[in-house]
Amino acid sequence: MSKSVEMDQLDPESGGSRFQVARASVQFGPQPVRESETTGGFSPDSNSNSHGRPSIYETKYLRSLRHYLTRDALPRETHYRNLGSIAEGRLRPTIDELRDENYVKDAGDAEADADQTELKGKVIKFGWIEGVYMRCLLNIWGVMLFLRLTWVVGEAGIVEALAIICAANMVTVITTISMSAVATNGQIKGGGIYYMISRSLGPEFGASIGLLFTVSNSVAVAMYVVGFCSSFSDMLREYAGEDAMIVDGGVNDARIIGSVAMVLILALAIVGMDWVTRVQLLLLFLLIASQVDFVVGCFMGPQDDTEKAQGFEGLSFDLLKENAWNDYRPFEGIDYNFFSVFGVFFPAVTGIVAGANLSGDLKDPAEAIPKGTLLAILTTFCTYIVYPIMIAAAAKRYASGDIRELNVTDPNGEMSMDGKNETLYPVYNCTGRIDDCDYGTQISSQVMGLLSAWAPLIYAGCFAATLSSAIASLVGAPRVLQALAKDKLYPYIHFFAKGYGANQDPFRGYVIVFIVAECCVLIGQLNPIANLSSEVFLAAYALINLSCFHASLLKSPGWRPVFKYYNAWVSLLGAIICMVVMFLCDAIIGTVVLVITLLLYLFVSYRKLDVNWGSTTQAQTYVTALGFMQRLNQVRDHVKNYRPQVLVLSGMPGDRPPLVDFANALTKNLSLLICGHVVKGPITPRAKSAIQNQANAWLQRHKVRAFYSVIEDQSYEHGAVALMQLAGLGNLKPNMTLMGYKNDWRTCPRDEVQQYFSCVNEALDNYLAVAILRVKNGLDFSAEMGEDPNSPLHKSNTSTSLKGDGANGSDEGSDEPNDRSATSGDATPRVTTVDGKKKNGEEELYVSRTGEPLPAQVVENLTQFRSKQKGFIDVWWLYDDGGLTLLLPYILTSRSQWADCKLRVFALANKRGELDTEKRSMAALLSKFRIDYSDVIVIDDVTKKAEQSTRDTFNEMIAPFKKDDESDIPDEISVTDSELLANKDKTNRHLRLHELVQQHSKDSSLVVMTLPMTRKGTVHAPLYMAWLEMMTKDMPPFLMIRGNQTSVLTFYS
């Protein structure tokens, strides 16, 4: 006996893959030898196993071997691309497909990759060098290197200057480490720093900092362009004469030059990222050459007396000691100190996000961002440490620039020898004549050119630094705005989401950033812009550090960054430092930035966006809730802290809005409310999840803070019992069950009446209070809303759900195949006002799923417990059940809808002669309970025989349920003569209560009465339902309550 595997050779040109698998078949007996087996050849399309037979594996199907040997799919990257939630993956086979041989997929199970728009043109992706490292170098070696580094040394001295540089780099290093951890925790899409913060801390933080960051980058464009203008004007004055100007040689010249530069930069950005990269590479070489020129010039020393007169002495240890300490003086009308100088310098190191802002254009952002950014920081840190030392050792703080003063040594001055009768002072002594000194590190912004070997190259480097940084910011800011617009976190900005070309370039974002930057350019001053930019960058850095700290602290299983060299507490320290520095640099601007961030956060929070990004705030919600649940589980119950924790058997909430609204009035966001739903299966997990989503969406739209729990069971009774026993967690579990009254108990199948009756018994058996609500027109409006053919329940062919009260004979436990509660009114109700505009509010007009307006009476019934109530709440506290019959009406009067209602308390008297005593006793008890009431009425004739008409109505009601001697109907679903005889007095009492309630409470807003106890083996379902029917028929909203005989009221403090 031998085995062989038949092989089907696939042509690679026909769409087959390199490795192919044919269906295996086992054959017995001698088999012919194939040519491929004799040759022993090896090709890319075939392979030979240990027995010499070829094996071909076909993987052109996404599920690999699944179509041949198994339904299981092999692990693939495509199975994990859906980032929405853990419940939405659809590429791998479902549990139903794997377990059920005859399973037929519905439309929701169909596998389909997300539609990808075919992009025309060449897609450009950058590696870590050209995409991150080079861009960060260009941004960090920016305008501050050439225009403000010498000023920082002059103001702060070399000691404090190095402290400023180290402090600034410490902030950026910590931030970069945090950013690296966040960036390597999964794939990073376009949007850079905004994307990382929003996906880590949530949309509120992301949206607030994203908008601020866009504005900050737009402002940074202006900052770099203004720096370029300043350098350009200085170059004109140096090489074309002091009178060289365009308009006034000042602010207006800067505005003109800056506007022209802005237009050119915008044009370059529109041309495309490929040209941007080429231009920036050229600028980088020019920038490096200018720095080499500076270093060489410092070692060469001054070449003539003019350079000496302007403050260039050459490298000198004595000069280094002279410039060691600070000499803070006003500059451009502003007084400076250590922190304000830090605020001016800090933008020099903010280029660390230049690469991250282009995360969507990187080949591998997770690798490129950490590597490129950290190497760029290391490189630039070395230069920023070395250059200040060279500046302090080579240049004076002040110099007049007059070569005639080089030989003057008298500090009191000497007369000039050229006949001009001028007093000359030592060239470096500017005390008392600061306006005559135009050179030196504290005055001139062109000291770098003075110290260089060839000054024009420094100007070229300055132009390269400023323009490259401006280009990077102009390219990065629109991409952050585009990502923000795509997420639709703010209204009216989705216009900027559109991208053009293969790289989805945000041309619309370029225009708006250009406009913002141009407005800032028109300011014409550099330092105020630098302070604003610094504050926004510091706020962004604080949030990046907070993101890393928060994610690390929560220890979520989803936090698995590839970059391991981070520490949660270091990140927290970085966030604190950023916030402290914000206010130390400029308290006013820092406060403004913080307030704007907070307002944007609150705005996005108020909008309650439907986004699910798996943020750390979501994880924090879970951890916090779990912690409080564990703490709550250790708290022992006390009567003073009693709250009604309600399990309302509502089915789909949209089917019975009045029942859910009434339950919500009892809990009102201050207690637990669970909407229970029993569905007759089978139902797929996906359909069940969809049902839960629809119910939760309805609750959210109607502002009902409740949980929704669905149980699949063949029996309504068993499902309801499961809800009673399993709903909740720890001490946060229901202590009360609220049900809708079963209007159709006389016409529905008797086993349904028995199930309904059993639910009351089961609730009491589980020590739960029971409440049954009845309203005149019923609670179930599923028929009026119509059936939704797209409902998951409809698709899943479920035949029952937890039924509620209805005006048309609906029931609580129907087993009918076409149960109309299979769908709920969960579709978003259309809301129309008299002016034809759609509006959400209390005056909303509900429509059916077909779009037809509902009758006004139906709408009134739907919203009856949302409207203002007036009149009396009559409390028939018949028996002591622990006080729940009295407590629930009192809770209702504390709600706005029932606040205008007064309590009237009815009680029973033991004897006719004790009416006054019973009334005073009840009034005293209510006073001790601190419950306000308008009247106390004691009933003394409840044992009186009921009227004949009442008895006739009752007898007619139970007639269909009476059991004949020859009938084989079980006693549990019938009324026997022995049962009537045993409960004769109780029946008369309930009939008498019917007459009394009709007499006293016919016009009340709500009637609350103690629910008769269901005695086991004594009373059966039909008789009990007849009692309830008699007491509640033809009455206003009627609530029957039975506590679990445990006190819920106390008069002790």
Side-chain angles (χ1 to χ4, degrees):
M1 181 174 63
S2 64
K3 300 178 182 179
S4 70
V5 180
E6 293 183 355
M7 316 308 299
D8 295 331
Q9 187 73 22
L10 295 181
D11 182 8
E13 300 295 332
S14 65
S17 60
R18 176 179 177 184
F19 300 99
Q20 303 164 0
V21 175
R23 189 177 299 274
S25 64
V26 179
Q27 300 179 0
F28 299 91
Q31 300 296 328
V33 180
R34 292 181 136 184
E35 180 180 355
S36 61
E37 295 176 358
T38 58
T39 58
F42 180 81
S43 70
D45 294 323
S46 65
N47 198 356
S48 297
N49 57 23
S50 59
H51 299 286
R53 287 187 290 270
S55 301
I56 304 174
Y57 299 94
E58 180 183 348
T59 56
K60 72 176 183 178
Y61 295 100
L62 276 178
R63 297 171 183 173
S64 187
L65 305 179
R66 175 180 170 196
H67 286 266
Y68 298 97
L69 304 179
T70 178
R71 291 189 177 190
D72 272 313
L74 299 181
R76 285 187 175 274
E77 179 184 346
T78 53
H79 297 167
Y80 299 89
R81 288 192 181 277
N82 188 346
L83 301 180
S85 72
I86 60 175
E88 296 178 359
R90 293 186 179 179
L91 288 175
R92 65 178 62 84
T94 64
I95 289 290
D96 297 309
E97 289 180 84
L98 294 176
R99 299 183 69 244
D100 190 350
E101 184 70 26
N102 300 317
Y103 177 76
V104 179
K105 288 188 286 187
D106 58 29
D109 292 324
E111 293 185 14
D113 290 329
D115 294 336
Q116 298 292 335
T117 304
E118 184 177 354
L119 302 176
K120 297 181 180 179
K122 180 181 178 182
V123 178
I124 301 174
K125 296 290 184 180
F126 303 107
W128 70 271
I129 295 179
E130 70 274 22
V132 179
Y133 180 69
M134 185 182 77
R135 297 178 193 275
C136 288
L137 286 180
L138 285 168
N139 254 32
I140 299 175
W141 282 334
V143 61
M144 295 300 174
L145 175 64
F146 294 97
L147 301 184
R148 287 294 178 263
L149 184 60
T150 56
W151 175 81
V152 169
V153 174
E155 288 280 338
I158 186 58
V159 174
E160 293 188 14
L162 292 179
I164 289 173
I165 293 169
C166 290
N169 277 273
M170 181 182 68
V171 173
T172 58
V173 168
I174 294 175
T175 303
T176 302
I177 291 174
S178 300
M179 182 175 67
S180 299
V182 175
T184 57
N185 190 49
Q187 288 190 349
I188 300 296
K189 297 183 180 179
I193 193 172
Y194 155 73
Y195 185 90
M196 287 184 274
I197 292 177
S198 62
R199 269 55 177 182
S200 296
L201 289 178
E204 296 84 3
F205 281 109
S208 57
I209 205 61
L211 191 60
L212 275 176
F213 202 74
T214 300
V215 175
S216 176
N217 272 274
S218 304
V219 171
V221 175
M223 180 183 71
Y224 298 129
V225 170
V226 169
F228 165 76
C229 298
S230 175
S231 181
F232 189 84
S233 298
D234 289 342
M235 186 186 69
L236 282 180
R237 285 193 294 270
E238 181 170 346
Y239 294 102
E242 290 294 332
D243 297 332
M245 66 182 69
I246 299 175
V247 177
D248 59 359
V251 174
N252 289 327
D253 281 8
R255 292 167 178 165
I256 295 173
I257 299 170
S259 298
V260 174
M262 285 293 304
V263 172
L264 295 176
I265 294 172
L266 176 64
L268 178 62
I270 293 176
V271 168
M273 288 299 299
D274 195 16
W275 277 98
V276 168
T277 303
R278 294 177 186 177
V279 171
Q280 287 190 322
L281 184 60
L282 176 63
L283 294 176
L284 179 61
F285 283 119
L286 193 59
L287 189 58
I288 293 174
S290 63
Q291 294 180 59
V292 173
D293 178 44
F294 162 74
V295 173
V296 172
C298 285
F299 282 99
M300 290 175 57
Q303 302 300 306
D304 52 41
D305 289 341
T306 301
E307 291 184 353
K308 290 181 179 180
Q310 293 177 357
F312 184 17
E313 281 195 343
L315 296 177
S316 168
F317 185 72
D318 292 335
L319 184 56
L320 180 64
K321 290 192 295 183
E322 180 184 327
N323 290 327
W325 305 108
N326 67 67
D327 184 21
Y328 295 114
R329 297 190 183 187
F331 182 72
E332 296 182 353
I334 301 176
D335 293 328
Y336 284 92
N337 55 34
F338 178 87
F339 293 104
S340 56
V341 172
F342 177 90
V344 173
F345 173 79
F346 187 77
V349 296
T350 55
I352 62 172
V353 295
N357 285 343
L358 302 180
S359 58
D361 297 303
L362 300 175
K363 295 176 182 177
D364 185 1
E367 177 188 6
I369 291 175
K371 184 186 296 185
T373 308
L374 287 172
L375 285 177
I377 290 177
L378 178 62
T379 303
T380 55
F381 177 71
C382 293
T383 59
Y384 274 118
I385 288 295
V386 173
Y387 295 167
I389 297 176
M390 298 179 68
I391 292 170
K396 285 282 192 177
R397 281 188 165 116
Y398 301 100
S400 65
D402 190 345
I403 59 175
R404 297 177 300 168
E405 297 181 341
L406 285 173
N407 297 320
V408 176
T409 58
D410 187 355
N412 295 320
E414 300 177 1
M415 295 299 297
S416 62
M417 305 299 294
D418 55 4
K420 294 183 179 181
N421 295 324
E422 294 179 343
T423 303
L424 302 178
Y425 298 89
V427 66
Y428 303 135
N429 183 5
C430 292
T431 302
R433 56 167 192 156
I434 193 69
D435 293 336
D436 297 332
C437 294
D438 298 326
Y439 301 94
T441 56
Q442 281 190 297
I443 299 176
S444 175
S445 59
Q446 299 302 322
V447 175
M448 291 283 284
L450 175 66
L451 303 182
S452 64
W454 188 46
L457 190 55
I458 292 295
Y459 281 109
C462 184
F463 297 159
T466 53
L467 294 178
S468 64
S469 298
I471 292 172
S473 296
L474 184 64
V475 170
R479 280 166 167 74
V480 175
L481 178 62
Q482 184 183 40
L484 189 63
K486 285 181 177 179
D487 289 336
K488 300 180 181 179
L489 301 183
Y490 292 109
Y492 312 118
I493 68 168
H494 189 63
F495 174 79
F496 299 103
K498 183 175 178 57
Y500 297 86
N503 291 305
Q504 292 292 286
D505 292 318
F507 291 159
R508 296 175 179 179
Y510 289 154
V511 175
I512 190 65
V513 170
F514 169 81
I515 293 173
V516 173
E518 176 63 21
C519 292
C520 293
V521 166
L522 296 179
I523 297 176
Q525 296 293 324
L526 181 60
N527 285 358
I529 298 176
N531 283 341
L532 176 61
S533 179
S534 297
E535 297 297 312
V536 177
F537 276 116
L538 281 166
Y541 292 172
L543 287 181
I544 292 177
N545 286 298
L546 185 61
S547 299
C548 182
F549 167 74
H550 200 216
S552 303
L553 185 67
L554 295 177
K555 294 181 171 59
S556 174
W559 175 248
R560 302 185 302 274
V562 176
F563 186 85
K564 302 296 184 182
Y565 307 103
Y566 69 94
N567 181 274
W569 302 106
V570 172
S571 297
L572 177 62
L573 176 63
I576 295 174
I577 291 175
C578 289
M579 296 301 297
V580 170
V581 172
M582 275 184 65
F583 291 97
L584 291 178
C585 290
D586 194 318
I588 296 177
I589 297 180
T591 302
V592 170
V593 170
L594 187 62
V595 169
I596 293 176
T597 302
L598 180 61
L599 292 176
L600 292 175
Y601 177 93
L602 295 176
F603 174 76
V604 177
S605 299
Y606 176 77
R607 296 191 68 203
K608 297 181 180 178
L609 301 168
D610 185 18
V611 295
N612 182 17
W613 293 335
S615 64
T616 57
T617 52
Q618 291 175 297
Q620 180 66 65
T621 302
Y622 172 83
V623 172
T624 302
L626 182 62
F628 278 109
M629 282 298 301
Q630 292 170 339
R631 288 177 57 187
L632 180 63
N633 210 35
Q634 300 171 4
V635 176
R636 293 190 297 174
D637 293 334
H638 193 281
V639 62
K640 290 194 296 184
N641 295 324
Y642 175 86
R643 296 173 185 267
Q645 300 184 152
V646 182
L647 168 63
V648 54
L649 302 182
S650 64
M652 288 297 281
D655 281 348
R656 298 164 189 82
L659 183 61
V660 177
D661 289 339
F662 188 84
N664 185 50
L666 293 176
T667 58
K668 203 62 177 179
N669 308 335
L670 299 175
S671 185
L672 175 67
L673 176 58
I674 299 177
C675 295
H677 187 179
V678 179
V679 178
K680 188 172 182 179
I683 179 174
T684 64
R686 181 164 297 156
K688 186 176 181 179
S689 177
I691 294 169
Q692 291 174 325
N693 291 337
Q694 289 180 353
N696 289 326
W698 189 94
L699 293 171
Q700 184 177 5
R701 285 196 302 271
H702 290 77
K703 299 181 180 179
V704 176
R705 291 193 178 181
F707 299 96
Y708 171 79
S709 181
V710 58
I711 289 290
E712 178 186 346
D713 202 290
Q714 296 298 319
S715 167
Y716 157 65
E717 176 188 351
H718 294 161
V721 171
L723 284 170
M724 296 174 192
Q725 295 178 345
L726 300 178
L729 181 64
N731 283 345
L732 193 66
K733 61 184 178 181
N735 54 25
M736 170 182 167
T737 300
L738 175 63
M739 307 168 62
Y741 181 73
K742 189 172 181 59
N743 276 348
D744 65 342
W745 67 273
R746 286 181 288 178
T747 58
C748 70
R750 293 191 181 186
D751 61 333
E752 294 180 10
V753 181
Q754 177 61 33
Q755 289 188 49
Y756 183 85
F757 178 69
S758 296
C759 284
V760 178
N761 281 321
E762 292 290 349
L764 294 173
D765 287 343
N766 286 279
Y767 290 91
L768 297 177
V770 178
I772 299 176
L773 177 65
R774 183 177 187 179
V775 296
K776 183 177 181 181
N777 295 303
L779 296 168
D780 188 356
F781 292 88
S782 56
E784 287 78 2
M785 299 300 293
E787 186 172 12
D788 184 2
N790 295 319
S791 168
L793 283 171
H794 181 81
K795 290 183 177 181
S796 302
N797 297 320
T798 52
S799 58
T800 189
S801 71
L802 186 59
K803 292 293 292 182
D805 186 354
N808 299 316
S810 61
D811 59 90
E812 286 278 354
S814 174
D815 291 327
E816 298 173 1
N818 295 320
D819 185 355
R820 65 174 172 266
S821 76
T823 63
S824 75
D826 51 69
T828 303
R830 301 184 186 181
V831 183
T832 308
T833 56
V834 292
D835 59 0
K837 297 181 180 180
K838 291 185 177 180
K839 179 182 177 182
N840 288 322
E842 290 300 329
E843 68 273 8
E844 63 187 8
L845 177 62
Y846 288 84
V847 298
S848 67
R849 293 185 180 89
T850 60
E852 298 296 328
L854 296 175
Q857 184 61 43
V858 174
V859 175
E860 182 179 348
N861 293 335
L862 278 168
T863 59
Q864 58 183 301
F865 292 123
R866 287 179 172 263
S867 58
K868 197 77 171 177
Q869 306 289 330
K870 294 183 178 181
F872 292 101
I873 297 179
D874 287 349
V875 182
W876 290 74
W877 194 10
L878 305 179
Y879 319 107
D880 190 353
D881 61 347
L884 189 63
T885 305
L886 184 62
L887 178 62
L888 292 188
Y890 168 76
I891 291 175
L892 286 176
T893 58
S894 67
R895 313 307 186 205
S896 59
Q897 295 94 329
W898 301 88
D900 295 335
C901 294
K902 303 294 184 180
L903 289 185
R904 292 194 304 186
V905 180
F906 293 81
L908 300 180
N910 288 323
K911 297 180 181 179
R912 180 179 295 271
E914 298 178 355
L915 287 180
D916 292 340
T917 303
E918 292 285 351
K919 187 171 183 177
R920 286 195 298 270
S921 175
M922 178 59 67
L925 183 61
L926 294 176
S927 177
K928 290 182 179 180
F929 285 150
R930 304 173 303 282
I931 292 180
D932 294 331
Y933 61 93
S934 64
D935 196 5
V936 173
I937 302 172
V938 178
I939 306 297
D940 63 338
D941 56 350
V942 71
T943 58
K944 177 183 176 181
K945 189 175 182 178
E947 299 290 338
Q948 184 62 43
S949 59
T950 303
R951 297 200 303 271
D952 292 343
T953 301
F954 175 76
N955 291 330
E956 180 182 352
M957 189 180 299
I958 65 173
F961 295 91
K962 279 196 172 182
K963 180 181 179 181
D964 298 332
D965 294 337
E966 300 178 357
S967 175
D968 58 353
I969 301 176
D971 291 348
E972 289 78 9
I973 55 176
S974 60
V975 179
T976 64
D977 292 338
S978 60
E979 183 183 7
L980 285 174
L981 182 60
N983 293 282
K984 180 180 178 181
D985 293 338
K986 288 184 180 179
T987 300
N988 183 76
R989 184 165 67 246
H990 295 140
L991 297 182
R992 182 65 183 137
L993 282 171
H994 161 72
E995 296 173 349
L996 293 170
V997 169
Q998 290 282 338
Q999 176 185 348
H1000 293 281
S1001 303
K1002 183 71 174 178
D1003 298 324
S1004 300
S1005 297
L1006 176 68
V1007 180
V1008 181
M1009 180 180 285
T1010 307
L1011 180 72
M1013 181 59 71
T1014 59
R1015 293 187 181 274
K1016 296 180 180 180
T1018 303
V1019 61
H1020 297 138
L1023 181 58
Y1024 187 79
M1025 293 302 299
W1027 291 347
L1028 299 186
E1029 179 72 22
M1030 288 301 299
M1031 289 188 292
T1032 60
K1033 66 178 297 188
D1034 302 326
M1035 290 295 294
F1038 207 113
L1039 180 68
M1040 306 201 74
I1041 306 173
R1042 170 62 71 167
N1044 63 357
Q1045 302 304 116
T1046 301
S1047 295
V1048 298
L1049 291 172
T1050 181
F1051 42 77
Y1052 294 108
S1053 61

